[in-house]
Amino acid sequence: PKEHGGTFDSFTSGATGTPKKIRQTEAAQLFVHALVLRDHLWHARDFTAKFGAIRFFATEGRSPTWSRVTSAVFETGAGAEIDVTTDVPLQLDWLLREKPAYLLTSPSNLRALLAESERTGRVPDGLRQVITYAESLPGTLRRDLARLWGAPLVDSYSSTEAGAIALQCPASTDGRYHVQSENVLVEVLGDDGRPCAPGETGRVVITPLHNFAMPLLRYELGDYAVAGEACACGRGLPVIRKVLGRVRNMACDPHGRRFQPGFDQALEDTRLPVEQFQFIQETPSLIEMRYVMARELTRDEQSRFSQAVEQRLPYPFEMRYRRVEAIERSPGGKYEGFISLVGTELEGQGKR
């Protein structure tokens, strides 16, 4: 419709190697911007404070406002940003120099920053809140952030295709999300295609409601999530209890059962002195740990970690260990803590 304004193109990150072009309208983008403001208001952010962002495809610099979206409605403090592909020690330098009250970045990048901060003892000053987006949230990240930087974490679930899909409830103590139903229809479906009951895990299928330039009907993102029950906060929006991430970020046992791996907790339990890590499931029964470290893991350290993994995972995987110089980012600029190469051929194809 002409009244929906002009159109523009955006591109998915292509983390699986198949980026997609999405054509959108100005009307659809208006809803995306409104939900950015809703997230700020829900979490009572101080618009006069400084906002920092470590995001994809950013040009390092400063601005007098947070963003054109926020400053169109509210007077804000200054903003600063830097590209997420900048070396992590330089990112920490930037963070200590800029001293933002709010920091926006991806979970994997935040985890790398926390590891560098713990290694060097350098801690940012004046940070009130960290906002994460673009990836599923590792289980220990909230606790690690509170322990090392003393700041709370607020997560959001979004995609290029739809903008904000679900925002973290500000009244929740368990990090649950409210589906943004004014903008997108979200279904969490089991393998049989039926809607999941609260507590059940299923595939995320979305139908954006306002983009008439490129309608997506029951579009499968390739993500898994846990359906949630009604929230006591009174907002009335549907609930997602937890976002588990892409199919390729879920472990798969030889029987074809998929589940979220618990390697973060196993690493915390064993306190391995690794600087960075990535787990690759190469076969239904074999997982390789690639790690960055000044030395090789000892046999005792490998054994302790293998035992911790066996206690936490529902299948006794064989573990293999390999020290590497660096963990490579995905084509979309993300660090992926776990990648399964088993049965992920259809991911990222936008199935209907």
Side-chain angles (χ1 to χ4, degrees):
K2 291 182 179 180
E3 59 268 25
H4 285 213
T7 63
F8 62 95
D9 293 333
S10 56
F11 295 84
T12 63
S13 64
T16 62
T18 55
K20 297 181 288 292
K21 181 172 72 173
I22 307 296
R23 177 153 292 178
Q24 301 183 6
T25 66
E26 291 177 351
Q29 193 68 4
L30 179 64
F31 279 86
V32 172
H33 292 171
L35 295 179
V36 170
L37 297 178
R38 168 183 272 180
D39 189 52
H40 290 326
L41 294 170
W42 272 13
H43 296 281
R45 294 178 189 130
D46 178 4
F47 289 113
T48 66
K50 188 174 187 178
F51 193 95
I54 305 174
R55 65 171 92 239
F56 307 108
F57 314 118
T59 301
E60 183 175 355
R62 297 170 179 165
S63 63
T65 64
W66 286 13
S67 70
R68 63 182 180 84
V69 174
T70 310
S71 63
V73 182
F74 299 102
E75 291 186 9
T76 72
E81 68 177 14
I82 191 173
D83 193 271
V84 73
T85 60
T86 305
D87 287 345
V88 172
L90 296 180
Q91 289 186 36
L92 188 57
D93 289 343
W94 173 88
L95 190 56
L96 270 63
R97 183 172 64 250
E98 295 293 341
K99 296 183 173 62
Y102 303 103
L103 174 66
L104 174 74
T105 193
S106 65
S108 62
N109 194 67
L110 175 60
R111 183 167 57 189
L113 278 168
L114 290 174
E116 177 68 12
S117 177
E118 186 168 31
R119 185 182 70 83
T120 62
R122 299 187 300 159
V123 177
D125 184 40
L127 195 59
R128 303 183 197 177
Q129 187 182 92
V130 176
I131 307 151
T132 52
Y133 76 112
E135 302 166 1
S136 59
L137 204 61
T140 62
L141 194 58
R142 291 182 191 277
R143 187 164 65 245
D144 291 343
L145 176 62
R147 174 175 62 88
L148 293 169
W149 290 0
L153 187 151
V154 173
D155 190 43
S156 63
Y157 179 35
S158 62
S159 73
T160 302
E161 295 91 337
I165 296 172
L167 301 177
Q168 185 180 315
C169 175
S172 169
T173 58
D174 58 4
R176 67 183 61 194
Y177 305 79
H178 281 295
V179 173
Q180 301 303 288
S181 295
E182 300 93 337
N183 189 48
V184 60
L185 172 66
V186 175
E187 301 171 83
V188 181
L189 305 178
D191 291 337
D192 59 1
R194 296 172 182 252
C196 290
E200 293 180 342
T201 298
R203 298 170 289 114
V204 178
V205 177
I206 66 169
T207 301
L209 300 177
H210 301 104
N211 184 18
F212 287 20
M214 185 176 173
L216 300 175
L217 306 177
R218 305 196 79 193
Y219 178 87
E220 188 168 339
L221 286 171
D223 288 343
Y224 276 76
V226 180
E229 58 285 318
C231 185
C233 73
R235 283 174 173 78
L237 293 167
V239 171
I240 291 175
R241 186 182 297 179
K242 191 173 185 180
V243 180
L244 302 179
R246 299 278 180 177
V247 175
R248 71 194 246 115
N249 302 133
M250 302 278 284
C252 181
D253 70 16
H255 305 289
R257 294 173 296 196
R258 290 200 175 272
F259 54 91
Q260 187 177 38
F263 292 114
D264 282 351
Q265 190 61 55
L267 278 170
E268 183 169 302
D269 291 345
T270 53
R271 290 290 180 182
L272 296 187
V274 297
E275 298 174 25
Q276 209 173 4
F277 63 87
Q278 185 179 63
F279 295 89
I280 306 292
Q281 183 177 8
E282 298 189 343
T283 74
S285 59
L286 173 65
I287 294 176
E288 178 178 88
M289 177 184 179
R290 300 173 185 176
Y291 62 94
V292 177
M293 192 172 154
R295 59 171 176 81
E296 299 277 353
L297 286 171
T298 66
R299 288 191 177 183
D300 177 65
E301 288 170 330
Q302 293 180 18
S303 177
R304 284 192 293 110
F305 185 76
S306 294
Q307 291 176 13
V309 168
E310 187 171 345
Q311 292 173 359
R312 292 191 168 277
L313 300 188
Y315 180 82
F317 291 96
E318 176 189 352
M319 294 294 301
R320 185 169 66 197
Y321 299 86
R322 181 156 66 97
R323 187 164 70 98
V324 297
E325 291 297 320
I327 301 298
E328 298 297 326
R329 294 178 184 267
S330 72
K334 304 175 183 179
Y335 285 120
E336 294 182 273
F338 181 89
I339 299 174
S340 175
L341 304 180
V342 179
T344 58
E345 296 84 359
L346 294 178
E347 185 184 338
Q349 295 185 12
K351 296 178 291 179
R352 282 185 59 186

